[in-house]
Amino acid sequence: MIGIGILGAGGIAERAMVEPARGVEGVEVVAIGARDPERARVFADRLDLPAWGDYDAVLSDPRVDLVYLALPPVVHAEWAHRALAAGKHVLCEKPLSANGTTAAAIADAAEATGRRAFVGFHFRLHGFIRELLDTIGSGVLGEVKLVEIDFSIPHFVVQPGNIRLDGDLAGGAVMDVGCYAVDLLRAAFGEPEVITATAQTYHADPRVDLQTDAELRLPGGIPVLLRASFLGDDQGAMWVRVDGSDASLLATSVIVPQWGATLTVTSSDGEVLRSVAAEPGENSYARQLEHLRDVLADGSPSVLDAHRGAGTMRVVDAIYRAAGLQPR
């Protein structure tokens, strides 16, 4: 049994860890910690968790094997280092850290302590995303000519007071949803080069991008047009389009496949060659927990490994620089 301790008593801790853990054999949330222990107590009482306290109480709990950092990325490095030094494995809520330098330091600390550190790109473990990556790599599209990604949150979701609009907490659209796009590009095509980027910044904190549009180049010279935004329309967007010489692919709900993801491959003459929908009931957070349980048991490689997550953050940093903004 892998005992999980959570740092951070926000909504993501419940959705991404407490709820899915109850359906995954071999894992159990055994403690919750918050800066304010009373907040942790309320969280524990509501969700019937066995222990609560401040962050240090979780790190010192001998039942905790894996610490989940449900915290702003700007503090991930500090608490990941503390958890690793305490002999715990670490799962950081995405992105791994505030920038590529601190992300790499987390990965290096895991190696030095003999523990493992992961980044919570849960979508990568969903069967739909494996189908998406397999389709892109199958050759059915022919020679890839263009990749377009639009990950836009509806405009009414991220409002003043939201931590995603706080530059002190490493807020911004690329940090929040653009990191998913970078991770997916690297998984499907290899390392991208950032060519140009433009950002629309938040009037109350110009360090924060409300929307960033970037042009990247993939190995082989394939162009990418990427949008990460808090200014989406009422429906928002989570789609990826890949245009090839023989066919085009459109995938929807990519960040959270359990929200009705679909994949359609259409030939150049309009024939539908493949149509796939995400399996009803499959949950990416549960798949992530199953994956972590298994790789911690057998020591096998992980697509969530911190060294890989650090590579994603280096591309995020490059996008911000290209847009005239400082990396977080």
Side-chain angles (χ1 to χ4, degrees), residues 51-275:
W52 54 271
D54 61 13
Y55 297 160
D56 288 322
V58 174
L59 298 190
S60 63
D61 191 327
R63 297 170 301 173
V64 173
D65 305 299
L66 171 71
V67 173
Y68 170 50
L69 301 183
L71 301 170
V74 74
V75 298
H76 282 182
E78 174 188 356
W79 287 103
H81 281 276
R82 292 194 187 192
L84 291 164
K88 316 298 186 184
H89 305 290
V90 174
L91 170 66
C92 297
E93 180 53 46
K94 61 81 195 166
L96 178 60
S97 190
N99 56 64
T101 300
T102 55
I106 292 173
D108 291 343
E111 282 192 357
T113 57
R115 300 287 89 185
R116 298 190 69 174
F118 308 94
V119 58
F121 283 125
H122 56 97
F123 78 133
R124 288 290 309 281
L125 283 308
H126 197 284
F128 177 84
I129 299 301
R130 290 195 297 272
E131 179 74 25
L132 170 59
L133 294 174
D134 288 347
T135 301
I136 291 172
S138 70
V140 68
L141 303 178
E143 182 183 355
V144 175
K145 301 292 188 181
L146 174 67
V147 180
E148 296 179 88
I149 299 178
D150 187 345
F151 289 169
S152 295
I153 294 175
H155 59 92
F156 51 80
V157 172
V158 182
Q159 293 295 309
N162 191 297
I163 64 170
R164 289 176 280 190
L165 296 179
D166 190 334
D168 290 334
L169 298 180
V174 176
M175 290 291 290
D176 189 57
V177 289
C179 63
Y180 282 106
V182 171
D183 182 80
L184 185 66
L185 286 171
R186 296 179 68 228
F189 299 102
E191 295 301 324
E193 176 189 3
V194 178
I195 306 303
T196 63
T198 58
Q200 180 174 339
T201 58
Y202 182 38
H203 67 88
D205 190 339
R207 297 171 296 175
V208 173
D209 58 311
L210 295 176
Q211 178 170 296
T212 294
D213 290 282
E215 179 185 353
L216 296 83
R217 183 181 296 126
L218 296 167
I222 301 166
V224 178
L225 301 178
L226 186 160
R227 168 170 287 181
S229 179
F230 296 151
L231 304 176
D233 62 20
D234 288 354
Q235 287 72 45
M238 292 186 191
W239 58 261
V240 174
R241 182 181 179 91
V242 183
D243 290 332
S245 57
D246 298 335
S248 294
L249 174 153
L250 177 65
T252 67
S253 197
V254 172
I255 294 177
V256 191
Q258 53 263 36
W259 292 355
T262 62
L263 184 158
T264 306
V265 177
T266 307
S267 71
S268 54
D269 61 5
E271 178 186 0
V272 175
L273 303 177
R274 184 174 301 176
S275 181

Side-chain angles (χ1 to χ4, degrees), residues 1-4 21 24-30 63-65 293:
M1 178 67 68
I2 295 175
I4 299 170
V24 175
E25 185 178 352
V27 302
E28 181 183 5
V29 177
V30 297
R63 297 170 301 173
V64 173
D65 305 299
R293 174 199 64 198

Side-chain angles (χ1 to χ4, degrees), residues 276-295:
V276 177
E279 284 292 328
E282 183 178 2
N283 183 282
S284 57
Y285 292 113
R287 288 286 183 262
Q288 176 174 255
L289 278 173
E290 293 166 352
H291 171 78
L292 294 174
R293 174 199 64 198
D294 294 345
V295 300

